[in-house]
Amino acid sequence: MAQPETPETEPHSEHTGDDHGHDDHHEQSFVSKYILSTDHKMIAMQYMFTGMIMALIGGFMVYAFRTQLAYPGISVPGYGTVSAGEYNALVTNHGTIMIFWVAMPVLIAAFGNYLIPLMLGCDDMVFPRLNRLSYQIFLLSAIVLVVSFFVPGGGFGGAWTAYPPLSAKAEYSLTPLGSTLWLVAVALEFVAFLIGGINFVTTAMNSRAPGMKMFDMPIVIWMIVIASILFMASVGPLIAGAVMLFFDQNVGTAFFDPDRGGDPMLWQHLFWFFGHPEVYVVLLPACGITAEILTVFSRKKMFAYKTVINTALGTGILSFFVWAHHQFISGIDPRMANVFTITTVIISIPIAEMMFVYVATLYGGSITFSTPMLWALSFVVEFLLGGVTGLFLGASGADIYFHDTYFVLAHFHYTFVPIAILGTFAGITFWFPKMFGRMMSDKWGKIHFWGTVIPFNLIFIPLFMLGAAGQHRRIYSYENFPELAVPALQDLRILATNSLYVMLAFQVIFLINFFYSAFKGKKASKNPWDSNTLEWTAASPPPHGNFPGAMPNVYRGPYEYSHPDREDDFWPQDEPA
Amino acid sequence: MSEAAADHGHHTPAFYVKIWVILLMLLGVSLAGPEIGIQWVTLLTAFGIAVVKAYLVAKNFMHLNLERRYVVYLLLTAVAFMFLFYAGTSPDIMNHVGRNWTNVAAQAEVERATEALNHEVPHGADHGAEPASAEGAEHH
Amino acid sequence: MKPIATTRSATGIPTGKLAVWWLIASEIVIFGGLLGSYIMHRLGHPEFGGYASHTNTVAGAINTFVLLTSSLTAVLAHHAAEQKDGEKAFKYLWFTIAGAATFVIVKSFEWHHEIEQGYTVTANMFWSFYYCAAGLHGLHVIAGAIMMAIVSFRARAGKELQQVELVGLYWHFVDLVWIFLFPLLYIAK
Ligand code: HEM
Ligand SMILES: [Cu+2]
């Protein structure tokens, strides 16, 4: 069954010369096993733990600035008083970190690296050393970002969208070094994900197990691949924009300076041409994770598998047509605002359809409410709220009022939190047994689940209300806004902040459950959830090379649950007919 | 050598040299174009020929004609996205007036720069000796 | 040792080549964003025509000639590699690298002269775009030359001959970008 090796595959072919031979040694030192490994599973872990550390940093930031908002002027325990400049830097870097250093590395890079080779029945990614390089560049980018908080002038405070002229001129931003380091960090992160993305896409296109057709791939793989393609296709103009902004900051060009012939609107277009597809870049992998979990725990064949994939492809393409809905009141041509309103309304159709298909998968299934399933279900429910409020904002008329209020902020947190938090926990709790060979505690998992989801709603529903009341974003203290400083609104701020504390506190339970289970949890079998996909046919955790002995062959699609002709209610993809 | 190449459906060195000669001739035409001095001819010889050259390189040197179709579609899609970007962005950047809006700063810059060019002084703090040539200002 | 994954080819396109196509696609959008931004400004600002009249068409034309020729040698290297003639591929790759070097040398004379005359990157928007676009392209030229040098030695040793085609593809793309930069920056005045 093993894939015949082509002549090029002689052991020790050309690599030993220029490679220091790391991947050729079998008794590995700590460094070559954990740090310089080219094994996709180890790289996935590196991405995941780096993402977790960055999530802690981003979480600490939100703790500091939310405390300032609820209790203005207070000395935040563990931080100190938050000055106006620091407030800006905290908000900016919180957003940047959560999107680029948490959502992307965990959802795409960690799950992508872990799952793609395993689910496709390969021994590794197609370019293992490129994969390692991708992580190393990513790590460097994270270090640069963290360093930027500590340079003279402090971290960049011009918002994660980095609109010029604020971001372009040190006289305005007051962070001469911070803003450049921020930009360099983001650009490096893009390079890391470009390299990683090419690896993912090539692997999925070329290296599927014998017998596995395109439409036999699990949905999560499709989603990660489509997301990588979206990223690659949209990030180019922003890379060009980053070069221009860098020149504006450090060389004195005027690309975005209207006084000298430049145009700040150009940056907004370059940014959002990437920025909107980017939200689907993180959304799709979370949708994919959810799809896997929903089918496994309702023991039903995925409803309309091909439709889900076509929808994702369609949404991906459409996501390139809506970007200027972020700029309705930046001074874009009103005729273009009409066009972008229409495209924005259209894009909500396929996304809504995808959610309906998920619900249809559940319908009539025999559902188990395990921890991963709870996360997956909550993703569908909460994301719907986020998506629906997007429609309010997409109508350019309504957006004149809503733009840059907390309504927008609540909208995108109702999308990003389901994606990056609920979706990620769904994935981690589901694949934990495979990753670490042990089970997580279901009881503590559920406690963590409720302790996260309830406070999440208590944080952001008040923020919707504040936004509807006209509260603008990115304001350090509302004390100087008489109509916003009223107690009724301040109470909502306090409610949101206090709920945040609760939510953060419950994450400690997760961390304990995670690390305790990784070392001391109940041993997991190969296939604890009776799942069909190939990763569950490997040992838990899979050894180097994933499928020692024989590489799997594939005979059917991934979602043959409760097939009428079979006694078992699942039918692994690699089981001969 | 050439029979083996034919087996692969690829071309021979002589063929590549032929393409190269055509490319050089096209380069010559694109250089000659502006000499005629008619603007649309210049644009045609400049960009029309660039497209032809690109086509020749992509087809014959990159062998896109022998590659799977979808690789061509992939590259064309990337190009198409750039046209999309252009279509959505240029109304705000290229135009300086629109319905109910005026880009005052850009208009002022055009005016200032045109004025400066007419006075044959290149713009910029550190401008050097050579003055802007008079033909430069001809187009508008 | 290469993983089994690398040797599979469900699409029929070898893995390395498929990756290069994706790389080129992602480069298209990088240059596309930059050149698109330039064209918008160019068409919105008639004064760019005046600024552009100071670019050195002769230098641009020489460099176009150099890159077109180096594309020829790159494809001849590919041809040699297909005949399993690593020596010859090595030779042609080094002709191509020589082309890259010539390109960079011509560019540096050109830039030196322009900067001396006061046409620096901050002189005005046209020159900012000029240096940015040509500079980004120049970095690709240098990167391509380095990759070709690495591949050339492998080819001479008769290893990884398929990589000659891959660097060649990348090199043709670098040439393609210049084919458009040339009229944009030098001819349309
Ligand atoms: C995929 C899930 C989504 C995510 C992750 C997401 C994310 C975001 C983010 C981050 C912003 C704010 C950016 C900023 O100003 O800082 C935003 C704003 C916006 N979103 Fe979404 N969004 C999603 C879905 C949608 C949908 C489905 C629609 C409409 C159908 C939509 C419409 C909008 C609009 C119109 C704005 C601009 C509001 C304004 O700035 O005034 N979004 N979204
Ligand atoms: Cu959007």
Side-chain angles (χ1 to χ4, degrees):
Chain A
M1 235 192 258
Q3 183 77 2
E5 298 202 2
T6 66
E8 292 169 42
T9 330
E10 275 132 31
H12 302 278
S13 54
E14 80 300 340
H15 290 320
T16 27
D18 54 328
D19 187 33
H20 321 296
H22 284 307
D23 20 12
D24 293 330
H25 291 299
H26 276 287
E27 349 54 76
Q28 293 169 310
S29 67
F30 177 84
V31 170
S32 61
K33 181 158 179 214
Y34 293 105
I35 301 194
L36 293 176
S37 169
T38 54
D39 182 49
H40 71 101
K41 300 180 291 294
M42 188 52 68
I43 293 172
M45 289 301 133
Q46 292 170 340
Y47 266 115
M48 192 161 88
F49 286 109
T50 315
M52 275 188 185
I53 293 169
M54 294 305 277
L56 291 178
I57 298 176
F60 179 74
M61 290 175 161
V62 69
Y63 153 77
F65 71 73
R66 272 308 318 178
T67 305
Q68 155 64 25
L69 285 175
Y71 310 103
I74 196 179
S75 170
V76 180
Y79 183 91
T81 42
V82 182
S83 73
E86 283 168 13
Y87 177 87
N88 290 340
L90 287 171
V91 175
T92 300
N93 285 290
H94 162 75
T96 315
I97 287 179
M98 290 303 191
I99 294 172
F100 294 126
W101 279 276
V102 178
M104 289 191 57
V106 176
L107 280 168
I108 300 184
F111 284 117
N113 266 311
Y114 199 84
L115 297 176
I116 289 175
L118 276 166
M119 285 186 142
L120 299 183
C122 316
D123 49 349
D124 206 328
M125 296 296 246
V126 286
F127 304 119
R129 284 183 300 156
L130 218 53
N131 207 12
R132 177 179 64 190
L133 179 69
S134 154
Y135 173 73
Q136 288 169 342
I137 296 177
F138 171 76
L139 180 64
L140 178 67
S141 75
I143 293 171
V144 172
L145 188 78
V146 172
V147 166
S148 82
F149 312 149
F150 300 104
V151 294
F156 176 55
W160 80 285
T161 52
Y163 280 10
L166 185 55
S167 58
K169 288 193 171 180
E171 304 97 278
Y172 300 158
S173 68
L174 303 179
T175 51
L177 279 172
S179 32
T180 295
L181 287 179
W182 180 92
L183 188 64
V184 169
V186 172
L188 283 174
E189 201 258 10
F190 290 166
V191 173
F193 277 86
L194 274 179
I195 298 175
I198 289 174
N199 216 342
F200 288 3
V201 176
T202 314
T203 308
M205 285 178 77
N206 250 357
S207 309
R208 301 186 300 275
M212 183 184 262
K213 296 187 284 299
M214 286 289 251
F215 287 103
D216 291 331
M217 288 200 296
I219 287 181
V220 66
I221 304 295
W222 269 103
M223 295 293 193
I224 292 175
V225 167
I226 297 173
S228 302
I229 295 175
L230 289 185
F231 180 80
M232 277 193 261
S234 64
V235 80
L238 186 56
I239 292 183
V243 173
M244 294 193 242
L245 186 57
F246 184 89
F247 272 61
D248 271 13
Q249 286 175 343
N250 298 299
V251 182
T253 54
F255 288 112
F256 304 120
D257 180 354
D259 266 355
R260 294 193 289 143
D263 199 329
M265 281 295 283
L266 178 61
W267 170 267
Q268 299 188 13
H269 282 291
L270 292 164
F271 184 89
W272 288 114
F273 183 81
F274 161 76
H276 192 88
E278 167 69 10
V279 306
Y280 290 88
V281 169
V282 288
L283 168 66
L284 292 179
C287 287
I289 290 171
T290 316
E292 302 303 321
I293 295 172
L294 291 181
T295 44
V296 169
F297 291 107
S298 49
R299 312 308 295 165
K300 255 189 77 189
K301 189 171 170 140
M302 180 82 208
F303 182 83
Y305 164 87
K306 268 201 184 171
T307 309
V308 174
I309 289 159
N310 290 330
T311 308
L313 286 166
T315 319
I317 292 170
L318 272 177
S319 73
F320 282 88
F321 287 79
V322 301
W323 78 87
H325 65 208
H326 297 275
Q327 298 161 262
F328 282 147
I329 67 162
S330 303
I332 59 169
D333 193 302
R335 286 163 295 189
M336 296 308 284
N338 289 346
V339 174
F340 282 101
T341 293
I342 293 167
T343 53
T344 302
V345 174
I346 291 174
I347 201 175
S348 52
I349 297 171
I351 276 295
E353 183 225 278
M354 195 187 298
M355 294 298 123
F356 280 124
V357 168
Y358 283 13
V359 174
T361 299
L362 295 171
Y363 181 77
S366 42
I367 296 177
T368 319
F369 290 103
S370 61
T371 311
M373 184 64 163
L374 288 179
W375 289 114
L377 289 171
S378 70
F379 168 81
V380 176
V381 174
E382 306 282 2
F383 177 76
L384 269 177
L385 275 167
V388 166
T389 48
L391 278 171
F392 293 60
L393 302 171
S396 51
D399 191 55
I400 294 173
Y401 179 77
F402 283 131
H403 176 71
D404 236 356
T405 66
Y406 268 64
F407 192 90
V408 173
L409 186 140
H411 151 69
F412 70 73
H413 280 85
Y414 256 101
T415 56
F416 272 132
V417 172
I419 291 168
I421 309 231
L422 309 185
T424 299
F425 282 136
I428 291 180
T429 49
F430 184 65
W431 279 291
F432 188 91
K434 185 55 55 187
M435 292 174 171
F436 299 99
R438 290 171 189 273
M439 305 299 287
M440 279 178 98
S441 154
D442 201 50
K443 182 176 124 210
W444 287 103
K446 283 180 176 149
I447 293 172
H448 170 230
F449 168 79
W450 291 111
T452 302
V453 168
I454 295 172
F456 157 57
N457 287 285
L458 290 177
I459 297 170
F460 290 105
I461 289 173
L463 297 190
F464 269 128
M465 292 153 77
L466 284 166
Q471 174 177 312
H472 265 248
R473 297 166 69 184
R474 296 171 179 146
I475 300 232
Y476 161 61
S477 159
Y478 293 93
E479 282 170 315
N480 298 326
F481 297 80
E483 70 285 4
L484 292 176
V486 293
L489 298 185
Q490 191 62 27
D491 286 348
L492 289 173
R493 285 176 208 126
I494 293 172
L495 172 60
T497 299
N498 289 351
S499 308
L500 172 76
Y501 298 152
V502 177
M503 180 167 159
L504 287 177
F506 269 91
Q507 304 318 306
V508 176
I509 294 184
F510 169 76
L511 288 176
I512 294 173
N513 190 359
F514 184 94
F515 286 105
Y516 180 84
S517 308
F519 294 104
K520 295 262 169 64
K522 199 168 92 226
K523 278 247 187 303
S525 66
K526 252 187 180 181
N527 189 0
W529 315 117
D530 289 342
S531 178
N532 285 345
T533 42
L534 292 179
E535 79 274 30
W536 301 107
T537 64
S540 298
H544 194 84
N546 296 342
F547 304 97
M551 303 297 286
N553 275 5
V554 165
Y555 300 92
R556 65 188 61 75
Y559 301 116
E560 297 298 330
Y561 291 103
S562 307
H563 196 279
D565 304 343
R566 271 177 66 89
E567 214 167 286
D568 281 346
D569 70 347
F570 66 114
W571 201 356
Q573 284 189 279
D574 69 333
E575 199 175 292
Chain B
M1 181 191 278
S2 40
E3 35 346 290
D7 285 347
H8 289 277
H10 279 132
H11 308 296
T12 59
F15 174 83
Y16 294 129
V17 173
K18 199 180 90 196
I19 298 293
W20 172 69
V21 172
I22 298 176
L23 285 168
L24 292 189
M25 285 180 344
L26 288 173
L27 169 62
V29 177
S30 64
L31 284 172
E35 299 304 320
I36 302 172
I38 308 171
Q39 198 178 13
W40 68 265
V41 177
T42 305
L43 288 179
L44 192 74
T45 52
F47 295 101
I49 285 194
V51 173
V52 177
K53 277 198 272 186
Y55 173 78
L56 287 175
V57 170
K59 180 176 171 205
N60 299 303
F61 287 177
M62 300 172 94
H63 300 116
L64 272 172
N65 56 339
L66 307 176
E67 192 52 275
R68 310 252 151 177
R69 276 285 125 220
Y70 58 74
V71 171
V72 180
Y73 296 142
L74 159 67
L75 300 179
L76 287 180
T77 310
V79 174
F81 276 146
M82 289 303 99
F83 280 97
L84 173 68
F85 171 71
Y86 193 90
T89 304
S90 61
D92 298 331
I93 310 296
M94 201 167 84
N95 301 337
H96 299 160
V97 278
R99 190 192 285 173
N100 295 332
W101 64 273
T102 323
N103 186 342
V104 186
Q107 283 180 341
E109 169 65 14
V110 173
E111 215 164 280
R112 187 202 62 71
T114 314
E115 184 75 359
L117 279 170
N118 286 338
H119 289 81
E120 307 198 337
V121 180
H123 169 51
D126 42 0
H127 44 70
E130 200 198 89
S133 66
E135 319 95 77
E138 248 170 35
H139 293 297
H140 28 279
Chain C
M1 200 173 88
K2 277 186 186 171
I4 293 170
T6 318
T7 61
R8 285 180 177 168
S9 178
T11 55
I13 305 177
T15 302
K17 202 169 170 190
L18 188 59
V20 172
W21 289 127
W22 280 106
L23 175 70
I24 290 177
S26 61
E27 295 265 17
I28 288 177
V29 289
I30 298 180
F31 281 104
L34 188 59
L35 296 186
S37 305
Y38 165 67
I39 296 170
M40 282 169 214
H41 278 91
R42 180 75 177 76
L43 296 179
H45 287 266
E47 71 270 21
F48 273 34
Y51 300 145
S53 65
H54 299 286
T55 56
N56 187 340
T57 313
V58 177
I62 294 175
N63 264 345
T64 312
F65 169 77
V66 168
L67 277 193
L68 288 175
T69 310
S70 71
S71 248
L72 173 69
T73 52
V75 78
L76 290 175
H78 166 205
H79 186 76
E82 264 183 351
Q83 319 287 309
K84 303 263 177 280
D85 189 344
E87 276 296 335
K88 203 171 196 181
F90 177 82
K91 195 179 81 190
Y92 277 124
L93 279 178
W94 277 91
F95 278 136
T96 317
I97 296 170
T102 316
F103 181 91
V104 173
I105 292 169
V106 172
K107 261 258 93 92
S108 40
F109 276 110
E110 191 191 349
W111 281 17
H112 179 75
H113 186 66
E114 278 155 359
I115 291 170
E116 253 183 359
Q117 291 188 323
Y119 300 116
T120 61
V121 64
T122 51
N124 55 49
M125 282 287 282
F126 171 79
W127 289 102
S128 304
F129 272 118
Y130 170 87
Y131 285 104
C132 229
L136 195 64
H137 176 262
L139 288 180
H140 282 74
V141 170
I142 295 169
I146 294 172
M147 287 191 289
M148 283 189 288
I150 297 172
V151 169
S152 73
F153 289 106
R154 292 183 189 161
R156 190 168 60 173
K159 290 178 204 153
E160 301 283 338
L161 279 170
Q162 85 286 357
Q163 289 182 350
V164 176
E165 180 181 10
L166 306 187
V167 281
L169 286 177
Y170 182 78
W171 190 254
H172 298 313
F173 171 74
V174 173
D175 185 18
L176 277 184
V177 173
W178 183 259
I179 286 177
F180 287 100
L181 279 179
F182 176 58
L184 279 172
L185 298 178
Y186 294 89
I187 298 197
K189 291 189 169 166

